[in-house]
Amino acid sequence: MSRVLLIEDDDSVRRAVDLGLRRQGHEVRTAVTGEEGLRRMTSFRPDVLVLDLMLPGMAGLDVCRRVRESEQLPIIIVTAKGDDVDVVVGLEAGADDYVVKPVRARVLDARIRAVLRRADAPVPAGGRPRVESHGPLAIDRAGLVVTRHGVPVLLAPSELRLLLTLSAAPGQVFSRQQLLEAVWEHSYHGDIRLVDACVKRLRSKLGESRSEPQCIETVRGFGYRFRSA
C-alpha cells in the first residue's frame, strides 16, 4: 500500500479522488492549498505526491519546485484538459507524469503504481559490471545510485529510469515512443513531452552543456542515445 498526498482545492474532485484511491488500496492524505500540502509532506512522508497545478495561494508549479529542492519522490501533476503549456512547464519543473481532468481513479492508480515501479527495479545490462563508469559518471545499476565526479546525483524516479534505460545500451538509438513505453509504461498514450522534458532535466542534473560532451545525444527526428565517454 502506497502513501499518497493529494493537493487539490476543488472539494468534489478531492473527495472523489481520495475515495477512489482508498478503494484501490492506497493510504491517502489531502490538502487544499500548497502551503498546507508542504506542511503535510513533513508529517505524512508520502510515497507519491499528486498535485493540482491550479491552487489558491502558492501555485502548484511553485510547490513542485519547492519539493524538488529536497525530495525526489514521484510527482504526478493534475491539469485541465488542453492546458498544454502548463503540462510542459510542470514536467520541466520536476513532475514525473500527469493526468488530465476529469481524473479517473483507476487511471491515476495505474500511473501511481507505474511511477513507483520505476525506482524499484534496476534495468539489466547483460554481463556489464555492477558499477559502470562513463567518464565522470558512475552508475550503480543494482544499487540505483548515480555519481558524477564522485558526488551523488539526486534523480527523480523517471530521470533515473531514463538514464538506466539509455545507458544499458550505449550507442543504441531509442525513439521517443520506445522510451515512453520503457520508462513511463504509456504504450497507449504516445505523449513525447514526457520524454523531452525528462531528458532536459536529466541533462541539467548531469551538468551537461554545449562546452562539455553530452552523454545523452539527440538524434534529430527520431530520439536519443547514450554515448559512453
Side-chain angles (χ1 to χ4, degrees), residues 115-135:
V115 77
L116 288 174
R117 284 194 294 269
R118 291 171 210 164
D120 291 337
V123 176
R128 302 173 69 87
R130 168 176 167 151
V131 179
E132 306 167 11
S133 295
H134 305 280

Side-chain angles (χ1 to χ4, degrees), residues 14-35:
R14 188 175 62 257
R15 287 196 294 267
V17 174
D18 182 7
L19 179 59
L21 290 180
R22 290 179 187 275
R23 286 176 173 172
Q24 296 294 329
H26 301 281
E27 181 181 354
V28 184
R29 295 290 186 277
T30 64
V32 177
T33 66
E35 293 86 349

Side-chain angles (χ1 to χ4, degrees), residues 4-8 29-46 48-52 55-75 93:
V4 180
L5 175 59
L6 168 66
I7 307 179
E8 167 63 65
R29 295 290 186 277
T30 64
V32 177
T33 66
E35 293 86 349
E36 181 187 5
L38 290 174
R39 290 193 297 270
R40 285 187 176 271
M41 283 280 298
T42 302
S43 59
F44 182 52
R45 307 303 302 172
V48 181
L49 173 61
V50 179
L51 173 66
D52 186 11
L55 294 171
M58 180 181 288
L61 288 174
D62 292 330
V63 175
C64 185
R65 294 188 183 102
R66 180 78 65 84
V67 171
R68 276 289 172 259
E69 289 176 359
S70 59
E71 301 282 351
Q72 301 304 316
L73 83 163
I75 299 175

Side-chain angles (χ1 to χ4, degrees), residues 45-107:
R45 307 303 302 172
D47 300 310
V48 181
L49 173 61
V50 179
L51 173 66
D52 186 11
L53 288 184
M54 300 298 294
L55 294 171
M58 180 181 288
L61 288 174
D62 292 330
V63 175
C64 185
R65 294 188 183 102
R66 180 78 65 84
V67 171
R68 276 289 172 259
E69 289 176 359
S70 59
E71 301 282 351
Q72 301 304 316
L73 83 163
I75 299 175
I76 300 175
I77 56 175
V78 178
T79 71
K81 186 175 182 180
D83 287 346
D84 292 342
V85 173
D86 285 344
V87 169
V88 173
V89 174
L91 294 174
E92 292 183 350
D96 292 279
D97 207 339
Y98 75 95
V99 292
V100 176
K101 291 183 177 181
V103 181
R104 290 179 292 172
R106 288 186 178 180
V107 172

Side-chain angles (χ1 to χ4, degrees), residues 143-164:
L144 301 178
V145 175
V146 177
T147 61
R148 182 175 182 271
H149 295 300
V151 178
V153 180
L154 299 180
L155 299 176
S158 298
E159 297 160 0
L160 177 59
R161 188 73 180 182
L162 178 62
L163 178 60
L164 292 175

